[in-house]
Amino acid sequence: MAAETLLNSELTCPECGHVSVETMPTDACIYFFDCAGCGTVLRPKPGDCCVFCSYGSVPCPPIQAAQPCCGSPNLKQA
């Protein structure tokens, strides 16, 4: 039985620690996210496909399903 895909993730700003609960899209990658706490623009870390995989409590839906994300040939296992 496959696990249910989680769509909410807590993004934590690496600069100020502000936490924002966001709903992840299932059909697009989020490459940039403006922190509401300090204004820092979050970008994916090298090797990650999106800000959720870098700073989220839950990786993006394609990665959760062990599928390529946004054309990325690398899979990061959840």
Side-chain angles (χ1 to χ4, degrees):
M1 179 179 206
E4 182 179 339
T5 300
L6 302 174
L7 297 180
N8 289 328
S9 183
E10 293 181 354
L11 285 176
T12 302
C13 178
E15 297 297 319
C16 73
H18 178 79
V19 176
S20 176
V21 177
E22 301 293 330
T23 301
M24 297 180 282
T26 58
D27 60 351
C29 284
I30 303 297
Y31 298 112
F32 305 103
F33 182 82
D34 294 326
C35 174
C38 68
T40 294
V41 177
L42 304 183
R43 294 175 174 83
K45 294 177 183 177
D48 285 344
C49 62
C50 65
V51 295
F52 292 105
C53 288
S54 293
Y55 305 105
S57 59
V58 177
C60 69
I63 298 302
Q64 290 180 54
Q67 299 294 316
C69 182
C70 303
S72 173
N74 298 327
L75 290 180
K76 183 176 179 181
Q77 297 299 318

